[in-house]
């Protein structure tokens, strides 16, 4: 397997203050772990391009996109909501974060690589069609998925989201799109609090109680997702890879271990081999214990690379 690793130095230039959990150290920890474990040498490292305005406008409300560009501060910060801030480098980082996923789609769909991991921030899955939320400005994975639908005529994309938080933004964007199956496992109740409730046929909810362990996580996927995923037969699998469900994470109260992430990644690799020509694009979302994040991304990539 050839696996792309798409990132950009500007994703680390986005600083939210010394105490903010969504910190540049997250990407450093991943990179350091991949280098120390000698996995980086086997990845096709690529510097992310900037997403285009047209690509953003294909996914988000153009008025919303324009408002984000207009609000970008030259100094100080702007609050988009209580926890979503823009600093001087935030817009540049966000453009590279979404651009990374577009680039990963191009690399995977052209056959240059089998699969890809986008090591980016700010994250994206809380960003809705016309609203920034939960550290997210643009919905990186949704922008990439829309690019795959528009540019490559892909008919069926499955987006699997194992972040501890429900990916309300991705659901909001694709809830009426039969071309996209969106499945999210998440701690409930937890941010973004409203109960997602019953939804459309292409949306799968896997709520997990506080304190849930790997066996609960696995049971939810076995019961709610795999059969549906098999029937959907995705041509492309995308993963909203949030590592804040790990037991060590300060933001959630699930008790997942690295082996649970490995288990899910292996399951998705099997589905991809059967239906998607191996095509998987994994995109970093949350994960706020830098050490646990580095280790878990390493293990996730060991499966993607089949090393
Ligand atoms: Zn999260």
């Amino acid at each position: 397997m050839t696996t792309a690793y798409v990132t950009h130095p500007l994703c680390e230039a986005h600083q939210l203050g010394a105490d903010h959990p969504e910190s540049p150290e997250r990407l450093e920890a991943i990179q350091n772990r991949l280098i120390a474990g000698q996995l980086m040498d086997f990845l096709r490292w690529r510097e992310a391009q900037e997403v285009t305005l047209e690509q953003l406008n294909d996914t988000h409300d153009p008025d919303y996109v324009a408002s984000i560009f207009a609000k970008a501060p030259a100094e100080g910060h702007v609050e988009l909501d209580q926890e979503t801030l823009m600093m001087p480098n935030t817009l540049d980082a966000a453009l590279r974060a979404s651009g990374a996923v577009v680039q990963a789609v191009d690399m995977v769909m052209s056959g240059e690589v089998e699969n890809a991991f986008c090591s980016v921030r700010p994250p994206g899955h809380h960003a809705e069609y016309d609203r920034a939320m939960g550290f997210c400005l643009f919905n990186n994975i949704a922008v990439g998925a829309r690019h795959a639908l528009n540019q490559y005529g892909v008919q069926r994309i499955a987006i699997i989201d194992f972040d501890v938080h429900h990916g309300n933004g991705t659901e909001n964007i694709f809830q009426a799109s039969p071309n996209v199956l969106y499945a999210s496992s998440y701690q409930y109740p937890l941010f973004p609090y409203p109960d997602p409730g019953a939804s459309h046929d292409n949306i799968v909810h896997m709520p997990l109680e506080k304190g849930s362990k790997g066996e609960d996580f696995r049971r939810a996927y076995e019961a709610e997702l795999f059969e549906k995923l098999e029937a959907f037969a995705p041509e492309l699998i995308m993963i909203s890879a949030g590592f804040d469900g790990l037991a060590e994470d300060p933001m959630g109260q699930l008790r997942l271990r690295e082996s649970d992430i490995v288990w899910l990644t292996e399951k998705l690799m099997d589905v991809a081999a059967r239906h998607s020509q191996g095509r998987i694009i994994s995109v970093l979302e949350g994960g706020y214990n830098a050490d646990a994040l580095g280790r878990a991304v390493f293990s996730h990539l060991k499966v993607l690379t089949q090393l």
Side-chain angles (χ1 to χ4, degrees):
M1 287 279 173
T2 310
T3 299
Y5 182 81
V6 191
T7 188
H8 195 282
L10 281 167
C11 290
E12 291 183 42
H14 164 51
Q15 304 258 7
L16 293 165
D19 299 329
H20 201 289
E22 208 288 275
S23 71
E25 286 73 39
R26 301 175 60 232
L27 299 191
E28 277 169 36
I30 292 171
Q31 222 139 289
N32 289 342
R33 187 66 191 81
L34 294 175
I35 292 168
Q38 298 179 337
L39 190 51
M40 195 60 104
D41 295 343
F42 296 94
L43 301 172
R44 189 157 305 178
W45 191 91
R46 193 61 58 86
E47 199 159 272
Q49 67 201 14
E50 265 191 7
V51 70
T52 66
L53 193 56
E54 192 185 354
Q55 286 159 352
L56 287 176
N57 288 343
D58 281 345
T59 296
H60 289 286
D61 177 359
D63 289 341
Y64 166 72
V65 174
S67 78
I68 294 293
F69 276 77
K71 283 174 187 163
E75 54 186 52
H77 71 268
V78 171
E79 278 185 29
L80 301 176
D81 75 2
Q82 237 171 2
E83 64 277 312
T84 314
L85 308 179
M86 286 186 85
M87 308 299 233
N89 286 314
T90 303
L91 179 61
D92 287 337
L95 296 176
R96 298 290 174 171
S98 287
V101 190
V102 169
Q103 193 157 350
V105 167
D106 288 337
M107 292 176 84
V108 167
M109 293 308 298
S110 69
E112 183 184 346
V113 294
E114 273 88 4
N115 55 41
F117 180 74
C118 300
S119 194
V120 293
R121 52 184 292 278
H125 75 152
H126 294 304
E128 298 189 346
Y129 175 66
D130 57 3
R131 182 183 179 200
M133 198 172 153
F135 314 154
C136 306
L137 277 72
F138 303 129
N139 195 313
N140 307 321
I141 201 163
V143 170
R146 187 70 78 193
H147 179 65
L149 294 168
N150 290 352
Q151 193 68 29
Y152 295 96
V154 174
Q155 295 295 312
R156 292 178 309 282
I157 301 178
I159 302 178
I160 317 302
D161 186 335
F162 65 79
D163 190 278
V164 78
H165 303 100
H166 174 237
N168 60 291
T170 314
E171 176 161 334
N172 169 261
I173 288 165
F174 290 122
Q175 62 190 347
S177 303
N179 300 99
V180 176
L181 175 69
Y182 176 68
S184 181
S185 60
Y186 51 91
Q187 181 182 327
Y188 186 78
L190 188 68
F191 181 92
Y193 302 96
D195 179 357
S199 186
H200 297 71
D201 284 349
N202 65 316
I203 305 291
V204 177
H205 291 143
M206 293 170 280
L208 298 164
E209 285 174 16
K210 176 180 173 178
S212 292
K213 296 193 173 112
E215 61 201 65
D216 308 303
F217 174 83
R218 296 181 194 208
R219 205 179 299 125
Y221 277 89
E222 298 275 12
E224 305 297 334
L225 181 66
F226 293 138
E227 205 175 312
K228 196 158 186 175
L229 189 56
E230 203 61 40
F232 184 70
E235 293 174 285
L236 171 65
I237 293 179
M238 301 182 81
I239 303 176
S240 263
F243 297 85
D244 40 11
L246 292 168
E248 298 91 333
D249 198 276
M251 300 265 282
Q253 289 88 36
L254 297 186
R255 312 292 301 164
L256 302 185
R257 296 187 302 183
E258 264 174 73
S259 56
D260 301 310
I261 310 284
V262 165
W263 172 83
L264 179 58
T265 312
E266 283 173 345
K267 289 279 186 188
L268 296 178
M269 287 285 282
D270 288 346
V271 178
R274 279 195 294 280
H275 297 292
S276 328
Q277 299 175 43
R279 298 190 283 232
I280 296 184
I281 295 162
S282 178
V283 182
L284 182 66
E285 300 285 359
Y288 303 98
N289 176 310
D291 192 46
L293 174 66
R295 279 187 281 115
V297 170
F298 178 85
S299 299
H300 178 58
L301 276 166
K302 281 274 275 188
V303 181
L304 290 179
T305 53
Q306 298 283 285
L307 287 171

